[in-house]
Amino acid sequence: QQQVKQSPQSLIVQKGGISIINCAYENTAFDYFPWYQQFPGKGPALLIAIRPDVSEKKEGRFTISFNKSAKQFSLHIMDSQPGDSATYFCAARATNFGNEKLTFGTGTRLTIIP
Amino acid sequence: DAGVTQSPTHLIKTRGQQVTLRCSPISGHKSVSWYQQVLGQGPQFIFQYYEKEERGRGNFPDRFSARQFPNYSSELNVNALLLGDSALYLCASSSTGTSQRQFFGPGTRLTVL
């Protein structure tokens, strides 16, 4: 019940296209859903995050869509660029006794080709 | 402002040895969390400390321990190393114990031979 399922495992998108990564969860206690971007040899960097009382959040080329009834959320990268090539992780957090534990998905390796 | 810093960057140990990893949070951040990231997988939560108190513990054996110091820096200790402990160990800091924004350091790459 603590799992966050992420798909696809890898994704190849042409430059200028839209990259879409999907995540699903079961635990209804999750109340915060961030996305992280990780480059090789680096730690994850917070990209964008959403709370379940909002259906969509947009920051620049990055948009999170959230479907509370389906317990699914997705990351959309518009006008994808080669510099977006990285591994993306969705995550979820349940506020439990003040614990900040993040549960991560398995990651999506995104490659943007010219 | 400096981000989260971790030391050492890389570490090679042999089975059965003990290792200590260090983390300095962003200035002003009082919460530190530790994660293990095995190659090809997402980070797995190990511990969270806030104001020097343990706030949470993940599903890891007792060989893993941690502590937080008065300056909010933290150490992760792993005893009796196993081959399966080889991973990237990540430290994340946030300003409060329930902050939504966690900032990760670059990690320490531990290789157990």
Side-chain angles (χ1 to χ4, degrees):
Chain A
Q1 195 177 17
Q2 288 294 322
Q3 282 186 324
V4 176
K5 296 181 180 179
Q6 183 171 347
S7 64
Q9 186 174 1
S10 63
L11 181 62
I12 299 175
V13 174
Q14 273 202 311
K15 178 182 175 182
I18 302 173
S19 304
I20 302 174
I21 304 170
N22 301 298
C23 285
Y25 65 97
E26 289 294 327
N27 188 353
T28 55
F30 286 143
D31 60 0
Y32 173 68
F33 301 88
W35 283 89
Y36 283 84
Q37 179 189 57
Q38 187 175 30
F39 292 103
K42 304 291 186 182
L46 180 63
L47 199 58
I48 186 172
I50 197 168
R51 292 183 64 89
D53 53 350
V54 176
S55 62
E56 184 176 284
K57 183 174 181 180
K58 183 176 180 179
E59 289 184 2
R61 297 185 294 110
F62 301 93
T63 300
I64 300 178
S65 296
F66 191 88
N67 186 330
K68 187 174 181 178
S69 61
K71 290 185 278 187
Q72 294 176 348
F73 58 110
S74 60
L75 176 69
H76 296 234
I77 305 174
M78 314 299 287
D79 187 26
S80 299
Q81 299 296 312
D84 297 330
S85 296
T87 300
Y88 292 80
F89 293 95
C90 62
R93 189 200 69 177
T95 304
N96 186 17
F97 303 107
N99 190 321
E100 288 188 323
K101 171 186 176 181
L102 288 172
T103 300
F104 283 83
T106 50
T108 297
R109 179 174 288 186
L110 174 64
T111 303
I112 307 300
I113 55 176
Chain B
D1 284 341
V4 177
T5 58
Q6 293 186 242
S7 63
T9 305
H10 297 88
L11 205 51
I12 298 175
K13 293 285 188 178
T14 57
R15 282 180 297 175
Q17 285 189 312
Q18 176 264 341
V19 68
T20 298
L21 311 180
R22 295 176 176 83
C23 170
S24 292
I26 292 171
S27 177
H29 284 193
K30 299 180 179 180
S31 176
V32 169
S33 297
W34 287 95
Y35 291 81
Q36 180 196 63
Q37 186 176 21
V38 174
L39 196 62
Q41 297 183 20
Q44 297 287 318
F45 175 79
I46 309 175
F47 286 109
Q48 186 212 340
Y49 277 78
Y50 176 67
E51 288 280 18
K52 301 178 288 295
E53 297 286 331
E54 182 182 302
R55 276 283 186 91
R57 174 184 287 254
N59 189 23
F60 281 81
D62 291 344
R63 299 184 296 107
F64 289 76
S65 63
R67 56 180 174 168
Q68 186 176 34
F69 299 98
N71 66 353
Y72 303 111
S73 67
S74 178
E75 284 183 353
L76 175 70
N77 295 284
V78 187
N79 293 322
L81 286 167
L82 303 174
L83 295 180
D85 295 331
S86 295
L88 181 68
Y89 287 85
L90 295 162
C91 173
S93 78
S94 64
S95 57
T96 68
T98 57
S99 170
Q100 294 178 352
R101 296 178 63 86
Q102 292 187 47
F103 297 88
F104 283 83
T108 293
R109 171 71 62 186
L110 172 65
T111 302
V112 182
L113 302 177

